[in-house]
Structure formats: C-alpha cells, structure tokens
Amino acid sequence: MSLFLRDLLRQNIIDRTDNRVLLIHITGFSHARLLAYDDYVLTQLQVETYHQLVQRVQNGEPLAYIVGYKEFYSRQFKVTPDTLIPRPETELLVEQVLAKAQHAAKVLDLGTGSACIAITLKLERPDLFITAVDKFADTLQIAQQNADNLHAEIEFISSDWYSSLGKQQFDIIVSNPPYIEANDEHLTALSYEPQSALTDFSDGLSCIREIVRLSHEHLLPNGWLLIEHGYDQGESVREIFTKNGLNNVVTIRDYADLERITIGMSN
Ligand code: GLN
C-alpha cells in the first residue's frame, strides 16, 4: 500500500510541528514544498525511517538531536549531545543584549554551547566584537561549525568561565549558565542533554555566583552583566548581583511571565 505525504502530515501521534520537522528531515523538502506536494508517495525506506524516528520522539529523545539542528532566532543551529538545545527564552536574553550594546561594543558570551547567543548577536549587529568561551573542546567544535555555517565572525576561546581570559575586559558579559539544582526533578526529563550544561550539581546558583563574583575584573566601567536563570531564582540572583557591587539591578520576565534574566551595571 502506498503512503502519501498527506497521510503522514495528518497523523496525531506526535506534536504537529515536530511531525513536520521530521518529514522535512526525511524527504529533504522545504516547508513550503512539504505542504504543497502532499500527494508525494513516500518510498518504503522513508516510511520505515519515519516510523523509527517517531518512536524515538515518543521515547523522549529530543527532536533537535534526532534531526541534528534547532531553530533559534529564525536560524538553524547544529546541535549534538555535546550542546544544550537552544530554548526560546534565550532569544529574550539576546534581545536584552542587543538593547544594551553600544556601537562596536565588546561582548563576552560565557559557556557558549552551540554559540546560538554569540552568533545571533554578531549577525544581528555586525558592528559588535564577540568573544565566546566554553570549557569543552567538543562543544567548541560545534560552536565553530555553526559560526562557519552562518558566516559569523566570533573569537572562540577554550576557557572555564574567565580562566583563560587574562585581563581582557568587555562592555557586556552575557551567559546562560547551568542553573538547575542537582536534585531538581526536571533533570531526569532532560537526560539526553549534557548535564554539565544544565546543572551545577549543587544548589543551582554556584556558576552564577562565580560569574558575578569575577565580573568586575572583566567588565569595563558602566558595562552590563546579563544572566539567564531559573524562574524561582530571581531574588537570589538579584542579591548576588547587588552584593558584588553591581548597580541598576533588575530582573526581566520571559514570555511565560516568569523571572528569567537578571541584569546589572558595573561601576
Ligand atoms: N532553560 C533550560 C531548562 O529549563 C535550562 C538551561 C540552563 O540550565 N541554562 O530546560
């Protein structure tokens, strides 16, 4: 029995958008072609692959790892189990940096992962100078591939937070660090992603404390620090910022109206 594309487009086993991403992956069609050419008859191999991949999605494997990419700020970023999968909330972090960055500002992205923050900043604002660090070599390789694929000029440095940066200073420091508490039940649902990108294996605030504590050595006067954090960490993070001498400290809420990003200015 031949199976038409429209039969698979109409399925209701997995999320509709996920299903389309899978079918695009399997057929190699564009989104527009996928919908316009729905009387396409799938090959036997395509049907088998489809059922295998649907099964993997149903088993909880993130779709982004199955197809090998995730969309962020309308661009495709390669992701592997060495990188966290970019989240829509992090687009808000990018927007905050874009709003704060003066012409030709120097920006540091700590724990860059897929480099979705660094690359998006550079492509949205080619005048910025972006340095991005990560402590894992395998992750930096993916970051560099994304920068090459998307033609973004970024300086990548292998560094455990600020450890390899010497005395370099920046106008803006941005980070989406691991902030999930070690015993948070959400971690089990995120078992496919690199745990070191999700949790500090402690109270969820230890990386944020370190990033904030050393920020004064790497921020130029009146520079901005912007950190993404958990929905319930706003108060603690504001306190860490203020205790470390940052001014104009505020927390910004995400699309779900949850406290998500805290920002502050250096002296
Ligand atoms: N926002 C991610 C989540 O809750 C966590 C990302 C992070 O720890 N930086 O799934």
Side-chain angles (χ1 to χ4, degrees):
M1 190 194 74
S2 54
L3 209 50
F4 294 100
L5 194 48
R6 63 170 166 271
D7 299 323
L8 297 185
L9 280 167
R10 278 193 203 126
Q11 65 75 48
N12 53 11
I13 310 167
I14 59 170
D15 173 82
R16 216 164 75 111
T17 312
D18 286 1
N19 188 50
R20 287 184 185 180
V21 172
L22 264 193
L23 288 169
I24 287 169
H25 177 68
I26 290 165
T27 57
F29 291 176
S30 67
H31 193 198
R33 186 170 165 80
L34 190 78
L35 303 183
Y37 192 19
D38 69 353
D39 57 352
Y40 169 77
V41 178
L42 287 113
T43 67
Q44 190 59 35
L45 180 63
Q46 285 173 327
V47 175
E48 277 166 28
T49 310
Y50 175 78
H51 288 305
Q52 280 164 13
L53 299 188
V54 166
Q55 189 59 54
R56 282 167 64 185
V57 173
Q58 283 189 291
N59 291 345
E61 192 172 341
L63 181 67
Y65 289 153
I66 296 176
V67 299
Y69 72 88
K70 175 75 185 180
E71 202 157 291
F72 182 81
Y73 227 88
S74 306
R75 298 185 182 93
Q76 280 191 11
F77 287 82
K78 175 175 174 165
V79 292
T80 71
D82 284 318
T83 66
L84 187 78
I85 299 167
R87 307 285 202 273
E89 301 86 79
T90 305
E91 295 184 343
L92 196 63
L93 181 61
V94 168
E95 275 163 18
Q96 290 300 318
V97 177
L98 291 172
K100 293 277 177 251
Q102 313 254 8
H103 181 76
K106 287 178 67 182
V107 182
L108 171 65
D109 174 23
L110 291 172
T112 195
S114 65
C116 62
I117 297 172
I119 292 170
T120 306
L121 288 172
K122 183 67 187 177
L123 295 178
E124 294 299 313
R125 284 279 303 277
D127 61 297
L128 301 178
F129 293 92
I130 320 266
T131 302
V133 310
D134 205 282
K135 73 170 167 175
F136 298 109
D138 293 344
T139 307
L140 274 178
Q141 254 183 29
I142 306 298
Q144 184 68 62
Q145 280 180 35
N146 277 323
D148 293 345
N149 293 344
L150 292 164
H151 309 291
E153 197 190 319
I154 312 278
E155 182 189 25
F156 288 109
I157 299 178
S158 161
S159 179
D160 186 1
W161 304 132
Y162 305 101
S163 68
S164 308
L165 292 173
K167 295 200 180 315
Q168 282 194 70
Q169 290 193 311
F170 301 86
D171 298 290
I172 294 182
I173 298 174
V174 59
S175 185
N176 174 18
Y179 54 70
I180 301 179
E181 234 180 291
N183 56 11
D184 189 312
E185 62 204 26
H186 293 106
L187 275 179
T188 39
L190 302 171
S191 62
Y192 285 90
E193 292 186 87
Q195 296 296 291
S196 58
L198 291 164
T199 178
D200 60 351
F201 306 100
S202 170
D203 67 349
L205 290 166
S206 62
C207 297
I208 294 178
R209 275 189 212 100
E210 181 163 352
I211 291 170
V212 180
R213 184 171 62 83
L214 297 172
S215 65
H216 68 274
E217 291 178 17
H218 297 279
L219 271 179
L220 289 157
N222 300 330
W224 287 98
L225 175 64
L226 303 91
I227 299 185
E228 179 178 325
H229 52 73
Y231 70 95
D232 55 355
Q233 293 172 329
E235 197 179 331
S236 311
V237 176
R238 284 192 296 279
E239 196 181 309
I240 296 170
F241 270 56
T242 335
K243 275 196 175 150
N244 282 278
L246 288 146
N247 308 312
N248 304 340
V249 176
V250 285
T251 300
I252 289 148
R253 288 174 181 268
D254 66 14
Y255 310 112
D257 203 30
L258 301 170
E259 292 196 322
R260 183 63 66 191
I261 296 164
T262 293
I263 71 176
M265 196 192 227
S266 64
N267 288 309

